[in-house]
Amino acid sequence: MDNPFNSVERFDERLAGYASRDGWEVVIAYQADEPAGYIFGSPLMRGSLWWSSMRQPQPDEFTQETGSRTFAVQEVLVREAFRSTAGAGTSRRCTRRSSPSGMRSAPRSWSIPPAPRDD
């Protein structure tokens, strides 16, 4: 976590930039009243440079964006307490609930059924 990229200030800068994009969406997962994780992203707009860092050049039909063709996930996070069996599938559930097909911009949240306890 010593990398400046991971600082709170840099995250705030990136988040403000991402959230200002058309079609930006966030999904927040909860277990009971406690946030377990999130995912956010937005559609790639025309002229996006998203694919420019690929090691091998891709054909135009692969890289030309329309504003509705590709939903780019900019970040996904699952809190440590909800990783492994405690929050089994949290990341996958967040991904399924982000909407590459609907591409809505309104934030949404959802709940995860509590994990069974061994006590």
Side-chain angles (χ1 to χ4, degrees):
M1 293 297 282
D2 293 335
N3 184 331
F5 182 83
N6 297 322
S7 71
V8 172
E9 293 80 16
R10 290 287 307 276
F11 175 80
D12 286 346
E13 290 170 9
R14 289 189 309 277
L15 181 60
Y18 292 143
S20 69
R21 295 178 181 175
D22 288 340
W24 184 80
E25 180 175 320
V26 62
V27 175
I28 304 170
Y30 288 88
Q31 183 165 333
D33 292 336
E34 193 169 355
Y38 64 83
I39 186 171
F40 60 76
S42 61
L44 295 181
M45 296 294 139
R46 291 184 199 277
S48 171
L49 298 176
W50 184 270
W51 305 108
S52 64
S53 63
M54 295 189 73
R55 292 180 187 209
Q56 297 178 348
Q58 300 298 311
D60 285 346
E61 52 278 356
F62 181 83
T63 61
Q64 287 183 338
E65 293 301 334
T66 64
S68 62
R69 186 185 80 108
T70 305
F71 185 85
V73 172
Q74 285 124 4
E75 181 150 345
V76 61
L77 177 130
V78 176
R79 292 179 52 215
E80 190 170 355
F82 298 95
R83 296 177 194 160
S84 187
T85 57
T90 301
S91 178
R92 182 178 59 246
R93 291 175 185 160
C94 281
T95 303
R96 285 184 185 158
R97 283 168 176 78
S98 62
S99 62
S101 58
M103 299 222 182
R104 294 179 293 272
S105 59
R108 295 178 291 153
S109 63
W110 55 280
S111 297
I112 303 170
R117 296 187 179 218
D118 293 336
D119 51 5

